[in-house]
Amino acid sequence: MPSSDSQKSAPDRISALPDDLLIYIMWFLTLQDAVQTSVLSRRWQNMWASLTILAFDATKFSSMRTFRKFVNNVLLLRSSLSDPVPLDELCIYAVCHNSDDSLDYSDIHPWIRHALNSKACALT
């Protein structure tokens, strides 16, 4: 079993991959996991924002409130980049079983506006 010293000196081969390949790998992750890669290194900090398809799934969250917050934060961070990537598709999967924990127009309107401003080809 390798010692912790040898693990610290091991090269970071994943970060050495080209950006296009890293983004391709992120396509296989959930959006939540892709966003979490931003803590890996400075190079990875905004890599997730290069995804051209954003698929938000409310079933992955404990409440509609946390889902709403995640979507708002992702779209805010993405639009604040100096050179935003065009958006091909914005997908929102949100089934509300409880009327107290639902989305309304004031929640969804900014998301649709973001898709339109990003010239998204599809909105689902």
Side-chain angles (χ1 to χ4, degrees):
M1 186 168 190
S3 69
S4 62
D5 290 336
S6 66
Q7 289 176 345
K8 289 180 183 176
S9 63
D12 179 5
R13 293 187 179 129
I14 292 177
S15 288
L17 295 172
D19 287 355
D20 290 342
L21 186 54
L22 292 175
I23 293 165
Y24 179 74
I25 292 168
M26 283 188 191
W27 282 30
F28 295 97
L29 302 174
T30 64
L31 185 55
Q32 296 89 315
D33 290 339
V35 170
Q36 288 177 350
T37 64
S38 64
V39 300
L40 295 176
S41 72
R42 283 188 182 175
R43 177 155 185 255
W44 288 72
Q45 192 170 20
N46 293 319
M47 189 72 64
W48 64 269
S50 296
L51 293 171
T52 58
I53 298 173
L54 299 180
F56 297 95
D57 186 355
T59 63
K60 307 287 184 198
F61 292 85
S62 60
S63 71
M64 198 56 69
R65 181 175 164 232
T66 57
F67 173 71
R68 220 180 281 120
K69 185 176 179 180
F70 179 74
V71 175
N72 288 333
N73 287 337
V74 164
L75 297 181
L76 179 67
L77 287 169
R78 194 174 185 283
S79 63
S80 69
L81 296 175
S82 59
D83 191 20
V85 174
L87 188 61
D88 290 335
E89 186 174 356
L90 177 67
C91 305
I92 307 286
Y93 303 105
V95 177
C96 303
H97 298 291
N98 180 349
S99 63
D100 294 336
D101 197 25
S102 62
L103 297 172
D104 61 27
Y105 178 76
S106 65
D107 298 317
I108 299 169
H109 178 72
W111 305 344
I112 294 171
R113 188 175 15 161
H114 179 86
L116 294 174
N117 290 340
S118 300
K119 298 181 178 18
C121 298
L123 179 62
T124 57

